[in-house]
Amino acid sequence: MTTNASAMYADLSLTLSEAGAGRPVLVLHGGGGPATVAGLAQHISRTAHTLTPVHPGWDGTRRPAWLTGIDDLALAYLHMLRDRRLRDVLVVGSSLGGWIAAEMAVRDSAGSITGLVLVDAVGVQVETEPITDFFALDARGVAEHSWHDPDRYYVDPAGLPAEELARRQANMATMRILAGDPYMHDPTLLRRLGQVQVPSLLLWGESDRIVTPAYGAAYADAFGDGRLEVVPKAGHLPQIEQPEATFALIDAYMRELGDPSDQQ
């Protein structure tokens, strides 16, 4: 479905998939597009109401000219939550989506968000653990940095249909606009995360070489109530490479959060 985020964003139409019932869970994809969180959203929808947007500019969707940063996107999603009067929202973000989730949390003056799950998120600057320059990697380099088992997941671009190659190139072009300068981070975000007091679970693939588990540990420590869980035999997308282990950690976290209706 397509929905306007609010009257303030009249020229922003969001492509949004919804499924399930219960606590609202906003699931945010990373640079690889919505397919990277499709299985995760499907799993969560068994026990919750998932809302899974396509970020404007990905997969052929329109990006308004004013939307040029991750902060713009974070504010647009917060307006969407408020327009829908959604409360007790859990935000789950993978990679770039985790960065959006963190930016939402520090700006959530309405208190709509009551939980965070960041999966191998980018978005902060850790001096000792620089983020790998994804744009400088060729396809083999992307596989080597992103996967625990790169041979299994490597895709030769020469073998892709023209339409799929064009989709991937357009997605990367959008990511450059939103997150290319400064590269994949907000220089002020790390120090602002301490004001986020909602329980924050950071999941990290042990073999991630885009952002290392040490980067994830620094990220988790910056939150007011954050913790890190490392997923064995997984890289940057543990929800794809080790779905059972990843889903089990998220399920346990959601049980810890409890049913918001029980707290009223």
Side-chain angles (χ1 to χ4, degrees):
M1 65 174 289
T2 300
T3 181
N4 284 337
S6 81
M8 293 178 64
Y9 295 88
D11 63 340
L12 175 61
S13 293
L14 294 176
T15 300
L16 188 70
S17 299
E18 298 188 59
R23 176 195 293 272
V25 180
L26 181 65
V27 182
L28 303 174
H29 67 77
T36 61
V37 295
L40 176 59
Q42 182 180 34
H43 174 80
I44 295 173
S45 71
R46 297 175 184 174
T47 56
H49 173 203
T50 58
L51 302 95
T52 310
V54 179
H55 305 324
W58 266 262
D59 285 13
T61 58
R62 177 179 172 274
R63 178 186 61 82
W66 57 263
L67 203 160
T68 58
I70 296 300
D71 53 347
D72 295 325
L73 200 47
L75 287 169
Y77 286 143
L78 281 173
H79 276 286
M80 181 195 72
L81 297 182
R82 293 170 192 171
D83 283 355
R84 286 171 161 251
R85 296 181 172 84
L86 295 176
R87 305 289 298 173
D88 294 303
V89 180
L90 168 61
V91 184
V92 179
S94 169
S95 188
L96 188 80
W99 177 7
I100 299 167
E103 295 279 6
M104 290 177 68
V106 298
R107 291 169 168 80
D108 181 26
S109 59
S112 302
I113 299 169
T114 54
L116 289 173
V117 177
L118 276 56
V119 184
D120 293 78
V122 295
V124 299
Q125 184 175 31
V126 179
E127 295 291 347
T128 57
E129 298 293 331
I131 303 169
T132 295
D133 187 352
F134 187 87
F135 298 127
L137 300 175
D138 61 12
R140 172 53 71 175
V142 169
E144 293 288 343
H145 283 75
S146 300
W147 303 103
H148 176 79
D149 185 357
D151 290 338
R152 178 181 177 186
Y153 292 96
Y154 168 69
V155 176
D156 185 350
L160 292 173
E163 296 81 1
E164 174 61 14
L165 189 60
R167 183 191 71 84
R168 293 186 179 204
Q169 291 172 342
N171 288 351
M172 290 301 100
T174 299
M175 190 159 70
R176 280 183 182 274
I177 292 169
L178 295 183
D181 185 20
Y183 175 72
M184 290 294 170
H185 75 282
D186 175 342
T188 70
L189 180 58
L190 191 68
R191 69 171 181 263
R192 290 184 289 132
L193 291 176
Q195 72 193 54
V196 179
Q197 297 296 321
V198 302
S200 303
L201 172 65
L202 283 80
L203 298 180
W204 234 262
E206 68 170 352
S207 301
D208 190 353
R209 294 172 59 202
I210 300 292
V211 280
T212 65
Y215 176 98
Y219 212 150
D221 287 345
F223 281 97
D225 182 8
R227 78 171 191 263
L228 176 73
E229 295 281 357
V230 176
V231 181
K233 297 183 180 179
H236 193 62
L237 298 171
Q239 71 271 22
I240 293 177
E241 203 163 12
Q242 295 295 338
E244 291 186 5
T246 303
F247 296 167
L249 287 167
I250 294 174
D251 290 347
Y253 167 80
M254 291 182 69
R255 287 194 296 270
E256 291 173 11
L257 285 185
D259 186 339
S261 64
D262 294 339
Q263 302 168 21
Q264 296 176 354

